[in-house]
């Protein structure tokens, strides 16, 4: 069986449920924008990989040849498996996962500086997560990167009333980052809900300590004569009574590859009917534009080394591929699809195997898929003016808004407790055998169904042994953006090649997601081989704290 046949079968169930029309419409913007990005800015070998990846995600279920079919995909089945409340699972079911994510507050700030065709970015992301077992995690990652960018604009007769122009811009960037994750689980009252309240309070207090401590370092760099010791001592007084065992509990390093682009339409303004330059052309005073759609494809690799806590001495590699699209000049729409694979090893053993050049043996595999669709009020616009007598323009832009969205997440967690299973997963990751990781990624919903005669070994392993779960969240995203640029354009007929001499762009985003619906997990196989979805009690024992 070839890769396309396997891909057709693996994604046969990926197109039902939520997502539908909204997702297809938004992802169409991504596909169009990314095509331009890849052609303009991405090296050939990388472009092929990115196009192949986006085709697998965007057109899952359309035979695997998504870019040829030109049709977008929907999402995995987002329901709980039927009408009414899900049935209860057997007591002490070994297939029930121990905990779930109840809510997440995320703040991300990004600054991008552009000089000619070069882009340099820096960002900081903070996540505060509440878990159903009463624990809380705080994660912070700072990242920097660099890459290239290009843009093109053209006259379109159908847009005569809007200056007859449209533009496509794209960028390709690679970045790296580092950070930490802190675990708050010191409060153990025997009541998970009470533990959650106390641990969350400790986490918030520790966050204030981190903010002030950062301020001390900034103050010291700005004013070397500042009383650094007194500042840090005051910051330390803000630590909670039960702070993390070590700062941080988990060390994080990250690398990422991003291809992004946007499509916009604009209207130009001229100096009256009689305003002409020396060549007899209308004198342009400036323009105003509205962003029609943006698309981003991101590939991330995060490495997490646990120093303390339940995963002490472990190293986890997290591989994430996501496609994100946002569109609309006034009413904003958003769609995101993500696929993630996390593999955990014993850190000391892994390091020794690396040193000796031996094969690795993973201890755990987690596959996660998620899909988000939303819309809300917002605006993204810009305005510019030409410097008389020159091809130089000055542009300012900005926007902001709020997007309400729904997120459907599925997860398959597999403990690799024998050499055979461990070797199978490692071979899959390394693209060895007939069913490599570069082929279609099995989803947890598919793993709960009775495997067909053509099922690969990994799918059978997930079906037989993995802990499978499905969750739904409501999310709220508040964002704003501001930019300033000095541009330069060269005209050739209706086409204008434009680029920035200098630009700066700042984006701030705050996102909160909270669990909703009926969390479910798949219990063990029943007659016929299927694994029915039942109530996830370890997830419903606590409620998130606003």
């Amino acid at each position: 069986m070839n890769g396309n046949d396997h891909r057709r079968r693996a994604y046969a169930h990926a197109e039902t449920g939520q997502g539908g029309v909204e997702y297809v419409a938004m992802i169409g913007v991504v596909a169009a924008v990314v095509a331009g990005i890849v052609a303009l800015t991405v090296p050939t070998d990388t472009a092929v990989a990115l196009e192949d990846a986006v085709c697998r995600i965007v057109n899952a279920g359309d035979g695997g040849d998504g870019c040829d079919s030109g049709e977008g995909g929907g999402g995995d089945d987002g329901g709980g498996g039927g009408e009414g409340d899900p049935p209860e699972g057997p007591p002490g079911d070994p297939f029930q996962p121990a905990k779930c994510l109840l809510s997440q507050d995320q703040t991300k700030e990004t600054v991008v500086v552009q000089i000619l065709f070069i882009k340099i970015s820096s960002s900081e992301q903070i996540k505060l997560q509440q878990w159903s077992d009463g624990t809380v995690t705080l994660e912070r990652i700072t990242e920097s990167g660099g890459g290239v960018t290009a843009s093109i604009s053209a006259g379109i007769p159908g847009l005569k009333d809007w200056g007859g122009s449209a533009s496509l811009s794209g960028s390709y960037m690679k970045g790296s980052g580092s950070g930490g994750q802190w675990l708050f689980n010191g409060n153990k009252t025997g009541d998970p809900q009470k533990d959650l309240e106390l641990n969350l309070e400790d986490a918030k207090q520790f966050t204030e300590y981190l903010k002030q401590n950062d301020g001390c370092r900034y103050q010291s760099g700005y004013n070397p004569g500042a009383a650094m010791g007194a500042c840090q001592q005051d910051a330390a007084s803000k630590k909670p009574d039960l702070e993390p065992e070590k700062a941080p509990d988990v060390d994080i390093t990250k690398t990422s590859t991003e291809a992004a682009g946007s499509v916009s339409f604009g209207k130009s303004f001229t100096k009256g009917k009689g305003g002409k330059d020396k060549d007899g052309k209308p004198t342009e005073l400036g323009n105003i534009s509205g962003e029609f759609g943006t698309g981003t494809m991101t590939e991330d690799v995060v490495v997490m080394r646990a120093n303390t806590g339940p995963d002490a001495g472990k190293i986890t590699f997290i591989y994430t591929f996501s496609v994100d699209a946002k569109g609309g000049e006034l009413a904003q729409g958003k769609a995101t699809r993500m696929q993630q694979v996390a593999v955990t090893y014993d850190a000391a053993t892994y390091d020794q195997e690396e040193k000796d050049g031996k094969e690795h043996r993973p201890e755990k595999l987690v596959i996660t898929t998620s899909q988000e669709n939303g819309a809300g009020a917002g605006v993204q616009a810009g305005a510019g003016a030409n410097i008389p007598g020159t091809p130089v323009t000055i542009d300012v832009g900005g926007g902001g808004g709020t997007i309400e969205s729904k997120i459907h997440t599925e997860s398959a967690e597999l403990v690799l407790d024998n050499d055979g299973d461990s070797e199978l997963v490692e071979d899959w990751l390394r693209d060895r055998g007939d069913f490599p990781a570069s082929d279609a990624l099995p989803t947890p919903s598919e793993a709960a169904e009775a495997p067909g005669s053509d099922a690969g070994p990994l799918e059978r392993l997930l079906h037989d042994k993995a802990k499978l779960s499905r969750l739904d969240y409501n999310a709220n995203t508040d964002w704003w953006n501001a930019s300033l640029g000095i541009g330069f354009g060269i005209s050739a007929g209706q086409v204008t090649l434009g680029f920035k001499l200098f630009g700066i762009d700042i984006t701030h985003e705050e996102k909160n997601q909270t669990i909703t619906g009926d969390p479910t997990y798949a219990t063990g196989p029943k007659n016929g081989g299927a694994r029915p979805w039942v109530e996830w009690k370890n997830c419903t024992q606590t409620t998130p704290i606003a």
Side-chain angles (χ1 to χ4, degrees), residues 21-93:
V21 176
E22 296 88 355
Y23 180 74
V24 173
M26 290 308 307
I27 218 67
V29 174
V30 181
V33 171
V34 165
I37 300 167
V38 171
L40 286 171
T41 61
V42 184
T44 303
D45 55 344
T46 306
V48 172
L50 288 173
E51 286 178 323
D52 181 62
V54 79
C55 287
R56 292 206 311 271
I57 288 184
V58 172
N59 297 285
D62 286 322
D65 302 317
C67 285
D68 295 329
S69 68
E71 297 178 1
D76 300 334
D77 182 11
E83 297 181 359
D85 295 330
E88 291 187 10
D93 189 352

Side-chain angles (χ1 to χ4, degrees), residues 345 349-351 353-354 358-362 422 426 430:
Y345 305 82
T349 303
Y350 181 91
D351 292 340
E353 289 169 345
E354 279 285 282
K358 294 182 178 179
E359 292 288 332
H360 301 301
R361 287 295 174 261
S422 182
E426 186 71 8
R430 305 299 176 188

Side-chain angles (χ1 to χ4, degrees), residues 310-352:
D311 293 323
K314 306 295 182 183
I315 182 171
T316 299
F317 295 82
I318 304 174
Y319 308 93
T320 305
F321 184 85
S322 60
V323 177
D324 181 271
K326 186 170 72 172
E329 186 177 348
L330 296 176
Q332 297 285 314
K334 178 181 181 181
T336 301
R337 183 155 184 167
M338 182 273 291
Q339 295 179 333
Q340 183 182 88
V341 176
V343 194
T344 301
Y345 305 82
D346 177 81
T349 303
Y350 181 91
D351 292 340
Q352 189 61 47

Side-chain angles (χ1 to χ4, degrees), residues 10 20 69 107 129 159 162 176 189 191 200 212-213 216 234 265 267 309 319 322 328 363 376 414 457 502 526 532:
S69 68
T107 301
Q129 299 173 315
L159 295 177
W162 280 89
S176 62
T189 66
D191 178 2
L200 181 60
Q212 182 161 338
N213 200 49
C216 292
D234 182 58
F265 298 100
K267 182 174 182 178
Y319 308 93
S322 60
E363 297 183 348
L414 182 63
F502 173 81
K526 303 300 181 183

Side-chain angles (χ1 to χ4, degrees), residues 144-502:
S144 60
V148 295
T149 183
S151 65
I152 187 170
S153 62
I156 299 177
L159 295 177
K160 182 178 180 180
D161 292 340
W162 280 89
S165 66
S167 66
L168 169 70
S169 63
S171 64
Y172 175 76
M173 301 185 69
K174 293 183 73 68
S176 62
S178 61
Q181 184 184 87
W182 293 265
L183 172 67
F184 296 84
N185 66 345
N187 297 284
K188 302 182 186 297
T189 66
D191 178 2
Q193 188 68 47
K194 185 63 176 177
D195 291 347
L196 182 63
E197 294 174 6
L198 297 173
N199 289 326
L200 181 60
E201 188 61 34
D202 288 344
K204 289 180 176 179
Q205 196 172 335
F206 189 75
T207 302
E208 291 304 313
Y209 153 71
L210 289 177
K211 288 180 180 178
Q212 182 161 338
N213 200 49
D214 286 346
C216 292
R217 289 199 294 268
Y218 173 78
Q219 183 184 52
S220 177
Y222 181 74
N223 179 11
M228 181 72 167
C231 181
Q232 289 186 325
Q233 186 175 2
D234 182 58
S237 68
K238 292 180 169 56
K239 287 184 180 180
D241 294 334
L242 291 174
E243 61 182 278
E245 299 175 46
K246 188 175 182 179
D249 296 286
V250 178
D251 293 318
I252 299 174
T253 56
K254 177 182 178 181
T255 58
S256 64
T257 302
E258 177 185 283
S262 65
V263 178
S264 63
F265 298 100
K267 182 174 182 178
S268 59
F269 299 94
T270 60
K271 188 179 180 180
K273 294 183 178 180
K276 306 284 185 179
D277 62 14
K278 61 182 181 180
D279 297 321
K281 295 182 179 179
T283 304
E284 288 201 5
L285 297 178
N287 62 79
I288 185 169
S289 64
E291 196 164 68
F292 175 74
T294 64
T296 304
M297 292 191 304
T298 306
E299 293 179 290
D300 290 337
V301 179
V302 173
V303 183
M304 306 182 73
R305 281 185 179 265
N307 303 310
T308 62
D311 293 323
K314 306 295 182 183
I315 182 171
T316 299
F317 295 82
I318 304 174
Y319 308 93
T320 305
F321 184 85
S322 60
V323 177
D324 181 271
K326 186 170 72 172
E329 186 177 348
L330 296 176
Q332 297 285 314
K334 178 181 181 181
T336 301
R337 183 155 184 167
M338 182 273 291
Q339 295 179 333
Q340 183 182 88
V341 176
V343 194
T344 301
Y345 305 82
D346 177 81
T349 303
Y350 181 91
D351 292 340
Q352 189 61 47
E353 289 169 345
E354 279 285 282
K355 183 179 179 180
D356 298 339
K358 294 182 178 179
E359 292 288 332
H360 301 301
R361 287 295 174 261
E363 297 183 348
K364 186 168 73 171
L365 170 71
V366 179
I367 294 175
T368 303
T369 64
S370 76
Q371 181 175 306
E372 178 177 0
N373 297 283
V379 62
Q380 183 73 49
N386 293 94
I387 297 178
T390 74
V392 177
T393 61
I394 298 178
D395 298 288
V396 294
T402 299
I403 294 177
E404 304 283 345
S405 58
K406 303 285 187 181
I407 303 174
H408 178 67
T409 299
E410 299 187 359
S411 182
E413 178 182 335
L414 182 63
V415 176
L416 308 172
D417 54 7
N418 63 77
D419 290 342
D421 292 348
S422 182
E423 184 177 356
L424 189 159
V425 168
E426 186 71 8
D427 286 346
W428 175 74
L429 285 169
R430 305 299 176 188
D431 281 348
R432 295 191 287 258
D434 296 330
F435 297 87
S438 59
D439 207 340
L441 184 68
T443 69
S445 281
E446 292 163 354
E449 300 177 2
S453 58
D454 57 350
L458 178 68
E459 289 180 78
R460 293 184 180 277
L461 183 61
L462 291 172
H463 172 270
D464 295 342
K465 297 184 177 182
K467 295 179 179 180
L468 309 175
S469 59
R470 302 197 296 197
L471 294 167
D472 291 287
Y473 298 89
N474 285 330
N476 178 282
T477 303
D478 291 319
W479 64 276
W480 60 262
N481 167 268
S483 63
L484 171 67
I486 301 174
F488 186 89
I490 303 174
S491 297
Q494 280 195 320
V495 177
T496 300
L497 295 178
F499 59 90
K500 287 184 180 179
L501 299 173
F502 173 81

